[in-house]
């Protein structure tokens, strides 16, 4: 993905984004499985806010640093930084030496793998459908924000550097994850997630109305 994006060609952009999105999805799924396998269910409301809060610093530094590298060193500058961070991640993963608690696969002949059957079983379970909708809604919100907020900033004449700073500043809100964890333990995860989506919807509508008003001045 990094090599394709560094090519700075149209084909490299779509292929690089395709590989990046697939890699990110596989990484997030695998990380979630490790979390579920090694952290007790009753500890998730305490562990997840800490994990999100600590990840805030990388989310804050990444966008601004990436745009700065792009301006001063071009596409290769940003992607070399990506490759360096991946090497560090692989080294950290190897040092921790996480293993599957379930052990090796059972001996014998496994049943044929039928993806469509698994999809049907997934759809038939209301809790899994809800979990998918929550993850999908969150992904749509952030993807829309990451794409259109920088475009709005650049089109408004504030420059590429400011677009990276805007994204970095938005990630500072992840520090609130620590407080949302405390709220979840007090009022329940369902209530906190529901109100979070309500606030996201109101903020998005407010941003759209404000943007229209500003552009019309």
């Amino acid at each position: 993905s990094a090599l394709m994006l560094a090519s700075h060609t149209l084909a490299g952009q779509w292929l690089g984004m395709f590989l990046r999105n697939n890699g990110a999805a596989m990484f997030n799924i695998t990380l979630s499985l490790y979390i579920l396998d090694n952290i007790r269910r009753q500890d998730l409301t305490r562990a997840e806010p800490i994990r999100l809060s600590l990840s805030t610093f990388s989310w804050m530094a990444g966008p601004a640093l990436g745009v700065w590298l792009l301006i001063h060193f071009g596409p290769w500058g940003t992607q070399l930084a990506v490759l360096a961070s991946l090497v560090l991640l692989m080294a950290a993963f190897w040092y921790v030496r996480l293993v599957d608690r379930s052990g090796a696969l059972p001996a014998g002949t496994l049943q044929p793998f039928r993806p469509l059957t698994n999809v049907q079983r997934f759809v038939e379970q209301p809790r899994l459908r809800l979990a998918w909708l929550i993850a999908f809604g969150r992904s749509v919100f952030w993807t829309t924000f990451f794409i259109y907020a920088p475009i709005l900033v650049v089109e408004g004449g504030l420059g590429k550097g400011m677009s990276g700073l805007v994204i970095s500043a938005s990630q500072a809100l992840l520090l609130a994850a620590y407080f949302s964890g405390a709220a979840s333990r007090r009022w329940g995860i369902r209530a906190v997630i529901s109100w979070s989506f309500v606030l996201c919807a109101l903020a998005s509508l407010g941003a759209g109305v404000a943007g229209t008003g500003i552009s019309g001045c």
Side-chain angles (χ1 to χ4, degrees), residues 67 70-71 153-154 158-165:
V67 173
L70 177 65
I71 294 174
V153 170
V154 174
L158 296 178
K160 295 180 180 179
M162 183 58 68
S163 67
L165 292 175

Side-chain angles (χ1 to χ4, degrees), residues 27-40:
F27 177 81
N28 287 329
I29 291 172
T30 307
L31 180 62
S32 298
L33 292 175
Y34 271 115
I35 290 174
L36 293 175
D37 199 34
N38 291 277
I39 298 179
R40 296 181 303 175

Side-chain angles (χ1 to χ4, degrees), residues 37-49:
D37 199 34
N38 291 277
I39 298 179
R40 296 181 303 175
R41 181 177 179 181
Q42 57 268 31
D43 292 334
L44 282 177
T45 55
R46 182 174 60 88
E48 281 298 284

Side-chain angles (χ1 to χ4, degrees), residues 61-185:
L65 178 61
V67 173
W68 184 85
L69 289 172
L70 177 65
I71 294 174
H72 291 84
F73 300 99
W76 277 103
T78 57
Q79 301 310 321
L80 287 176
V82 171
L83 292 173
S85 65
L86 290 176
V87 170
L88 291 175
L89 177 62
M90 292 176 65
F93 187 84
W94 184 262
Y95 175 78
V96 175
R97 303 298 290 269
L98 295 175
V99 296
D100 294 323
R101 289 180 177 272
S102 56
L105 291 173
T109 303
L110 298 177
Q111 294 295 325
F113 183 69
R114 298 184 179 88
L116 294 180
T117 302
N118 292 335
V119 171
Q120 180 180 355
R121 290 181 58 191
F122 186 98
V123 173
E124 290 174 350
Q125 302 181 60
R127 291 181 179 271
L128 292 181
R129 293 200 304 267
L130 176 61
W132 183 86
L133 285 172
I134 291 173
F136 179 74
R138 181 186 62 185
S139 178
V140 168
F141 174 84
W142 283 115
T143 301
T144 303
F145 180 81
F146 289 154
I147 293 174
Y148 289 103
I151 293 176
L152 178 63
V153 170
V154 174
E155 291 294 326
L158 296 178
K160 295 180 180 179
M162 183 58 68
S163 67
L165 292 175
V166 167
I167 299 298
S168 292
S170 70
Q171 301 310 294
L173 295 175
L174 287 175
L175 292 171
Y178 184 80
F179 302 101
S180 64
S184 298
R185 289 191 292 272

Side-chain angles (χ1 to χ4, degrees), residues 141 145 152 200-214:
F141 174 84
F145 180 81
L152 178 63
C200 285
L202 293 176
S204 299
L205 291 173
V209 172
T212 303
I214 293 173

